[in-house]
Amino acid sequence: MSLLKRLSENQQIMQTSSSQSQDRPKGKDEKKVQEPNLKVKLQKYLVDEIQKQSDDLNDEQTKDLIQNVANSFFEKEGERLTFEAKQEIVHSITNELIGYGPITPFLNDGDISEIMVNGPNQVYVEKKGQLIVTDAYFRNNEHVLQVIEKIVAPLGRRIDESSPMVDARLPDGSRVNAIIPPLALNGPSITIRKFPQNRLQIKNLIVFGTLSEEMAMFLEGCVKARLNIFISGGTGSGKTTLLNILSSFIPFDERIITIEDAAELQLSQDHVVSLETKPPNIEGKGEITIRDLVRNSLRMRPDRVVIGEVRSAEALDMLQAMNTGHDGSLATGHSNSPRDMLARIETMVLMAGIDLPVRAIREQISGAIDLIVQQSRLKDGSRKITHISEVIGMEGETIILQDIFIFKQTRITDNGKIEGKYVSTGIRPSCTDKLERYGIDVPAEWFREE
């Protein structure tokens, strides 16, 4: 979209919102009442100046143009404003044109991991594991919709009353979910899950206390030995981050197919094919699901299949792939514990609509999945790998699951910090034979019970 068109659309929204005082959050500084009118005048002034110039400007040139035009404008209109007030107006307009409106500063803040817009008048962020309400706000519902449209339009996705939910991503890989009225009663809502600009490595997780050094070396060996690993956990527990890190252990000479709803994985290998689902078009046709992509990936000669999240009938195709020579596959899913994850996979297989006996499904699960890694977000905001469990096989009608490493909580400090330690259950996993066949050293000290 051209700069001139963005300015014109934004100006129309501002002109509407300036006459709707009820859309402004209560309790805001009264000096800001005049801000919308001044911004409308400045944007009109910008439109007049841009029409005299080339419209082909990059972000840096746009910033310079806005600053130069604003300086000229404030000489005429802003003599009663302080320098700080003038800069605030300039930053606001700059964020609208080359950023994402009021949430742009949060996107640029490396300490913020999640941004939650609950309608135009309420914006929360997660900073260092804690939820914080901010003083940022949008002018009205149309302002929020404009930001959503700016996010989803370049991806060929849409959001409107007939399709009021959308998953998308920002250019930096951040995950975006948006939902609008009539489903969202408080106004259009946006949830953005940010990922670190610098890719995390396993040593970073050790420093953060997410897992122990022995657990890290064990997981690295399991990936290199082509074990099928399933990462389970709740929302915001760090499953995708861990999946990214474990994927980095895949040898560079292997062909990797990644499958996701919205592409987030950032693998460092060269031979990677990334597949992404496609929503239905305006006529309700043309949808491509994760299940479709899983089945297609098996015709693409993959050495590894990495599935961003398994949540439905694609679980059946994933199990079949793992059981038919595609060892070393990785996937994530939502669950509260490793045992619950097995039950959820069983339920998801039944969603495929194929009438399979429960025992047959459990045999498929026990034969396909070697390891379940449970990651949790604790009450103090910290993220921990609470279980590394091995799927051993079947005993009667039950899948046998054996914990290898667990996190034991010892106490909660006065400031609410959870303390604990990672311990081995004292059982040497049966998969160590496979690791040793791949030339991976597995010291007995890793599994010594404390």
Side-chain angles (χ1 to χ4, degrees), residues 170-186:
L170 297 179
D172 66 357
S174 299
R175 179 199 308 167
V176 181
N177 174 270
I179 183 167
I180 65 173
L183 302 186
L185 303 183
N186 296 332

Side-chain angles (χ1 to χ4, degrees), residues 105-159:
F106 307 135
L107 290 169
N108 297 330
D109 188 337
D111 290 333
I112 290 176
S113 57
E114 197 142 8
I115 303 165
M116 291 146 279
V117 178
N118 306 331
N121 297 334
Q122 191 179 69
V123 179
Y124 278 85
V125 298
E126 183 186 83
K127 190 168 186 176
K128 296 181 178 179
Q130 300 297 319
L131 281 180
I132 302 169
V133 63
T134 72
D135 59 0
Y137 64 96
F138 293 77
R139 290 184 294 275
N140 50 30
N141 286 345
E142 288 70 25
H143 190 192
V144 186
L145 287 169
Q146 183 191 39
V147 171
I148 296 173
E149 185 63 29
K150 190 173 184 180
I151 293 170
V152 304
L155 302 176
R157 305 204 171 194
R158 65 187 180 89
I159 188 164

Side-chain angles (χ1 to χ4, degrees), residues 18-161:
S18 64
S19 61
Q20 296 176 342
S21 59
Q22 67 271 22
D23 284 334
R24 288 193 302 271
K26 297 178 181 179
K28 295 289 177 186
D29 190 343
E30 288 300 319
K31 292 181 180 179
K32 292 187 178 180
V33 171
Q34 302 301 323
E35 215 173 77
N37 290 328
L38 199 58
K39 285 182 182 177
V40 170
K41 288 182 180 180
L42 175 55
Q43 291 210 32
K44 185 177 184 303
Y45 194 74
L46 274 168
V47 170
D48 295 338
E49 291 298 314
I50 290 170
Q51 285 175 334
K52 303 174 187 176
Q53 306 183 33
S54 169
D55 193 29
D56 188 17
L57 301 175
N58 60 34
D59 286 353
E60 288 303 317
Q61 291 171 329
T62 302
K63 286 181 182 179
D64 294 339
L65 174 63
I66 293 172
Q67 187 65 61
N68 293 334
V69 172
N71 290 339
S72 173
F73 172 79
F74 288 136
E75 287 178 4
K76 304 175 183 177
E77 300 283 346
E79 66 275 359
R80 288 173 292 180
L81 292 178
T82 64
F83 174 79
E84 290 77 11
K86 293 176 183 178
Q87 288 302 108
E88 185 178 348
I89 292 175
V90 173
H91 289 156
S92 176
I93 291 178
T94 302
N95 289 339
E96 296 292 345
L97 298 182
I98 60 177
Y100 298 97
I103 61 175
T104 303
F106 307 135
L107 290 169
N108 297 330
D109 188 337
D111 290 333
I112 290 176
S113 57
E114 197 142 8
I115 303 165
M116 291 146 279
V117 178
N118 306 331
N121 297 334
Q122 191 179 69
V123 179
Y124 278 85
V125 298
E126 183 186 83
K127 190 168 186 176
K128 296 181 178 179
Q130 300 297 319
L131 281 180
I132 302 169
V133 63
T134 72
D135 59 0
Y137 64 96
F138 293 77
R139 290 184 294 275
N140 50 30
N141 286 345
E142 288 70 25
H143 190 192
V144 186
L145 287 169
Q146 183 191 39
V147 171
I148 296 173
E149 185 63 29
K150 190 173 184 180
I151 293 170
V152 304
L155 302 176
R157 305 204 171 194
R158 65 187 180 89
I159 188 164
D160 50 42
E161 285 192 5

Side-chain angles (χ1 to χ4, degrees), residues 308-346:
E309 184 179 337
V310 178
R311 61 166 69 93
S312 188
E314 63 270 8
L316 176 60
D317 302 280
M318 178 199 70
L319 293 178
Q320 289 178 324
M322 290 177 172
N323 274 317
T324 53
H326 296 89
D327 295 334
S329 297
L330 302 170
T332 76
H334 283 87
S335 178
N336 294 323
S337 70
R339 175 62 63 183
D340 287 346
M341 191 71 254
L342 294 176
R344 281 212 67 224
I345 294 173
E346 187 178 319

Side-chain angles (χ1 to χ4, degrees), residues 267-280:
L267 273 62
S268 56
Q269 291 85 346
D270 295 325
H271 201 166
V272 178
V273 179
S274 299
L275 306 181
E276 186 178 59
T277 61
K278 177 179 174 292

Side-chain angles (χ1 to χ4, degrees), residues 8 19 48 80 92 103-104 152 196 216 219 255 262 295 300 355 392 401:
S8 301
S19 61
D48 295 338
R80 288 173 292 180
S92 176
I103 61 175
T104 303
V152 304
L219 288 175
R255 175 174 168 86
R295 286 188 295 211
M300 298 174 67
D355 189 17
I392 297 174
L401 199 62

Side-chain angles (χ1 to χ4, degrees), residues 2 28 42 97 99 102 115 171 178 181 204 337 366 387-388 411 427:
S2 71
K28 295 289 177 186
L42 175 55
L97 298 182
I115 303 165
N204 299 117
S337 70
S366 66
H387 297 77
I388 296 179
R411 73 186 191 103
I427 298 174

